[in-house]
Amino acid sequence: MAVSSISLPFLFLLSIFCLVCCFRITDARYKAYVNPISMLISEDLYKSIFLHKDDNACPAKGFYPYDAFITATECFPKFASTGCLDTRKRELAAFLAQISHETTGGWATAPDGPYAWGLCFKEEVNPASNYCDSTDTEWPCYPNKTYKGRGPIQLSWNYNYGPAGVALGFDGLREPELVANRSDLAFKTALWFWMTPRGDKPSCHDVMVGRFKPSKADLAANRTAGFGLVTNIINGGLECGIPNDARVNDRIGYYKRYAQLFNVDVGPNLDCSNQKSY
């Protein structure tokens, strides 16, 4: 998930925009503002999607409230607001499905099924490493800091925490733990990852709204638009190019459930089993 190709000037402008838009929307003069995402997903629907996120069994109990999600979307006005109504619903379902898999507490025989347990975790348990790429000098790691998975998208690695911090107004390299301590920031990092292209990878947003234009390399790698390509962007190096991968199937299971709740079709190319990773 390397993002070293994102320029600092671009990130600076993005961070200024995010801070300004969030101030504007939360200012008392704008109490009449209605968030367009709240028109797609009410608090009741949010609770029915994440049935068990506040169970005692979930370490993230109380960390992912509806209001924090809605507030975070205000910094990304194009999220689930691009295209026709079905396109908007489909993107929202895809985003919620991906973060559900990343934070799942479900299992095959879980109460209400395996796809009712999204947002159960807020940080990675027993990480295999500190996720520091010491070769990335643009986003250097700090001593005694770990860049393990945190938040809804499980943001990982110093080369993601660094630019996410610049864009969102926090020091992602010195204080990565903030992503697991602040609900609004946690959702913002997930949305930042979703909306931001990195290197040769398009943004998940562009894929889901039909703006992905495959390069020659994409065509050769069979990277076709759809939910499967989003999975490739997020974790393709570990999950794509593998027939019937259980992790990919879990993502698809969440997506199908949520698309049904939003009354929208899932679109083509759900898996990435025939795609080469980026």
Side-chain angles (χ1 to χ4, degrees):
M1 297 189 289
V3 292
S4 58
S5 63
I6 301 176
S7 67
L8 282 172
F10 172 80
L11 287 170
F12 176 75
L13 290 173
L14 180 62
S15 65
I16 295 298
F17 168 78
C18 187
L19 292 172
V20 169
C21 85
C22 288
F23 174 78
R24 173 183 63 80
I25 290 168
T26 56
D27 190 287
R29 292 170 297 171
Y30 291 85
K31 286 184 178 179
Y33 171 81
V34 177
N35 185 300
I37 307 304
S38 67
M39 303 297 290
L40 296 179
I41 179 170
S42 66
E43 186 168 6
D44 286 343
L45 179 54
Y46 182 83
K47 289 178 179 178
S48 69
I49 286 174
F50 301 110
L51 279 172
H52 295 282
K53 70 180 180 64
D54 293 325
D55 284 12
N56 288 330
C58 286
K61 178 182 178 181
F63 186 69
Y64 293 116
Y66 174 77
D67 287 347
F69 170 61
I70 294 300
T71 298
T73 65
E74 291 168 356
C75 286
F76 299 90
K78 291 184 179 180
F79 171 72
S81 298
T82 303
C84 68
L85 181 59
D86 279 359
T87 297
R88 295 170 59 203
K89 289 181 176 180
R90 197 175 294 113
E91 181 183 9
L92 182 55
F95 173 79
L96 296 178
Q98 292 289 355
I99 66 172
S100 292
H101 169 78
E102 293 293 336
T103 59
T104 187
W107 64 100
T109 59
D112 299 305
Y115 309 123
W117 288 79
L119 297 184
C120 192
F121 289 86
K122 64 177 182 177
E123 57 189 334
E124 187 176 358
V125 178
N126 299 321
S129 72
N130 64 357
Y131 291 92
C132 170
D133 180 359
S134 58
T135 67
D136 194 319
T137 56
E138 185 176 6
W139 308 107
C141 304
Y142 279 79
N144 303 315
K145 293 296 180 180
T146 175
Y147 303 100
K148 66 179 181 178
R150 295 183 179 93
I153 205 73
Q154 291 291 282
L155 190 74
S156 306
W157 296 100
N158 51 307
Y159 50 70
N160 282 318
Y161 275 92
V166 171
L168 300 174
F170 77 104
D171 196 331
L173 295 176
R174 287 187 175 90
E175 297 183 286
E177 60 277 0
L178 289 177
V179 179
N181 293 334
R182 287 175 44 191
S183 301
D184 62 330
L185 182 60
F187 275 119
K188 287 176 186 177
T189 61
L191 288 162
W192 170 83
F193 188 94
W194 184 267
M195 300 297 295
T196 306
R198 51 190 55 78
D200 295 331
K201 296 181 181 181
S203 70
C204 300
H205 167 75
D206 281 349
V207 171
M208 291 307 303
V209 302
R211 292 183 175 177
F212 167 63
K213 298 185 183 302
S215 65
K216 289 183 179 179
D218 289 322
L219 294 173
N222 200 34
R223 293 193 285 259
T224 52
F227 185 76
L229 183 56
V230 172
T231 297
N232 197 336
I233 292 168
I234 293 172
N235 206 29
L238 295 178
E239 299 180 22
C240 294
I242 305 170
N244 200 33
D245 184 83
R247 297 160 296 185
V248 173
N249 290 340
D250 188 67
R251 296 178 192 271
I252 294 171
Y254 272 112
Y255 181 43
K256 287 182 175 179
R257 176 177 177 250
Y258 297 169
Q260 186 175 20
L261 289 172
F262 284 113
N263 193 29
V264 68
D265 66 272
V266 294
N269 306 317
L270 294 184
D271 66 55
C272 58
S273 60
N274 294 317
Q275 297 181 20
K276 291 183 180 179
S277 63
Y278 282 95

